[in-house]
Amino acid sequence: MILHHLCALTIAIIIDWFIGDPPKWPHPVKWMGSLISFLTKRLNKGNHRKGKGVFMLSLIVLLTGLITLTITILLYQWHPFAGVIGEALMIASTIAQKGLKDAGLEVYEPLMNKDLPLARTKLSYIVGRDTEQLDESEIVRGTVETIAENTSDGVTAPLFWALIGGAPLAMIYRAINTCDSMVGYRNQKYEQFGWASARLDDLVNWIPSRLTGCMILLFCKPVYLNLKPAWKLFLTDAKKHPSPNSGWCEAAVAVILGIQLGGVNYYKGIVSDRARMGQPFEALKAVHIKKTIVIMNSAVLLFALFLWIGGITIDIAISWF
């Protein structure tokens, strides 16, 4: 079964690389989002909001798991090939490598044309911070941070869970991540209701984020630092991020490129001063967006290879016992 999962996740990567998520195609995440929005409007009020948030998350995860597991079982009962292709299509819907690349290039291109207003607008589609007053370096920082963070959240984490539990677990991961992205905020409106979504998202991303960050630093040579100081800086800075997981890929990219990430962001006019990661050997420029995309693509390829090696090793070990 692990071999089937490995084949499916490999095909999923290829599908996402060439096709991505065409906007007019039906997409499971859109359905999840609609259900989450429906439940949030009806439950996120009155007393016991934390318990209601737990109920909402449990229902989303249960429905996603049951539907995906049923489809997967039926396809494999029909034919193993149908099962692998069906899993591949479902896993492909949970990853966003092409979407991240395209989003980054949509900011990169107006920057190269010195069109800052358009670059700010394109950045606003992929970040939550205020973008109206950002200069070129801050636009680049926002884009690089988004691509780096989502290398794990948007690609390697669902692949990690796909190896362990195929399409059902990959879809459950995406359901948890979608809940967190919609309600997992530390503000008055969502702090109680989104508590369970945020905590569970932290848990399911703990291993993949660290694996991905370490893999980036293992196989991508830092521009300015030798190996030992690079690892020391990476391990120190990764823990500075307010999220327990987001800092690992951001710190790895910052160390590799010799740039500094983090700093002052504004969210609806409210200031948020994030810890700095990396050392500013270079000023942030548009080219760093393209370099971050290259790092992301390398990380995904290496992660897939790591999953194949790990999966086959586990399969051999199971057959021996």
Side-chain angles (χ1 to χ4, degrees):
M1 199 63 183
I2 290 178
L3 185 59
H4 289 156
H5 295 335
L6 287 168
C7 292
L9 67 87
T10 304
I11 296 169
I13 294 171
I14 295 170
I15 292 171
D16 180 71
W17 179 268
F18 288 103
I19 299 175
D21 296 323
K24 294 185 179 180
W25 286 21
H27 199 286
V29 174
K30 294 178 182 178
W31 303 335
M32 291 176 194
S34 297
L35 182 55
I36 293 166
S37 180
F38 173 83
L39 292 171
T40 300
K41 287 178 182 178
R42 282 150 182 80
L43 297 175
N44 189 23
K45 53 189 175 183
N47 298 322
H48 311 295
R49 294 193 187 191
K50 184 177 283 190
K52 292 175 181 177
V54 172
F55 171 77
M56 184 275 291
L57 174 65
S58 302
L59 181 61
I60 295 293
V61 168
L62 183 62
L63 286 175
T64 301
L66 284 175
I67 292 170
T68 312
L69 182 62
T70 300
I71 293 171
T72 303
I73 290 172
L74 290 174
L75 287 172
Y76 274 110
Q77 285 181 342
W78 180 27
H79 195 280
F81 180 77
V84 169
I85 296 300
E87 277 204 286
L89 291 170
M90 288 186 279
I91 294 168
S93 73
T94 70
I95 61 178
Q97 184 178 358
K98 186 176 187 299
L100 285 170
K101 179 190 74 173
D102 292 346
L105 292 177
E106 285 188 359
V107 179
Y108 169 82
E109 289 167 1
L111 281 178
M112 294 302 293
N113 294 326
K114 305 301 179 183
D115 189 348
L116 289 185
L118 181 57
R120 293 179 187 124
T121 299
K122 294 295 186 180
L123 177 62
S124 71
Y125 298 157
I126 58 174
V127 299
R129 70 193 68 175
D130 301 341
T131 63
E132 294 83 359
Q133 305 298 323
L134 299 184
D135 60 17
E136 178 178 347
S137 66
E138 287 298 295
I139 294 170
V140 171
R141 179 169 72 85
T143 309
V144 169
E145 288 174 351
T146 299
I147 296 171
E149 176 183 350
N150 285 285
T151 296
S152 177
D153 286 9
V155 192
T156 58
L159 292 177
F160 173 83
W161 291 110
L163 172 66
I164 295 173
L169 212 49
M171 291 293 286
I172 286 173
Y173 167 82
R174 181 53 61 210
I176 295 167
N177 189 250
T178 305
C179 286
D180 176 60
S181 68
M182 293 182 69
V183 303
Y185 300 104
R186 292 182 178 179
N187 56 33
Q188 187 175 0
K189 183 177 181 180
Y190 291 114
E191 187 167 10
Q192 292 297 311
F193 186 75
W195 173 83
S197 296
R199 297 292 78 76
L200 188 56
D201 186 71
D202 288 344
L203 181 62
V204 297
N205 278 296
W206 199 91
I207 295 175
S209 64
R210 285 155 178 78
L211 281 176
T212 307
C214 291
M215 206 161 290
I216 289 172
L217 210 62
L218 276 171
F219 294 99
C220 297
K221 185 179 179 181
V223 178
Y224 292 98
L225 293 173
N226 292 325
L227 190 61
K228 187 175 179 179
W231 273 94
K232 184 178 180 180
L233 182 62
F234 162 65
L235 293 172
T236 300
D237 286 357
K239 301 171 186 176
K240 293 179 179 178
H241 200 283
S243 163
N245 301 314
S246 298
W248 290 85
C249 289
E250 289 188 30
V253 168
V255 170
I256 294 296
L257 297 181
I259 58 176
Q260 188 171 76
L261 301 177
V264 176
N265 301 328
Y266 289 88
Y267 298 88
K268 296 182 180 179
I270 300 173
V271 66
S272 173
D273 192 356
R274 297 286 180 89
R276 278 64 173 172
M277 291 180 287
Q279 296 179 355
F281 294 104
E282 291 186 19
L284 285 160
K285 297 179 182 178
V287 67
H288 291 120
I289 296 175
K290 272 203 163 181
K291 290 180 178 180
T292 304
I293 292 171
V294 171
I295 291 174
M296 174 187 68
N297 291 338
S298 301
V300 174
L301 181 63
L302 291 166
F303 201 86
L305 180 60
F306 169 81
L307 292 181
W308 267 95
I309 294 171
I312 290 174
T313 302
I314 293 170
D315 203 35
I316 291 172
I318 291 172
S319 66
W320 283 353
F321 295 98

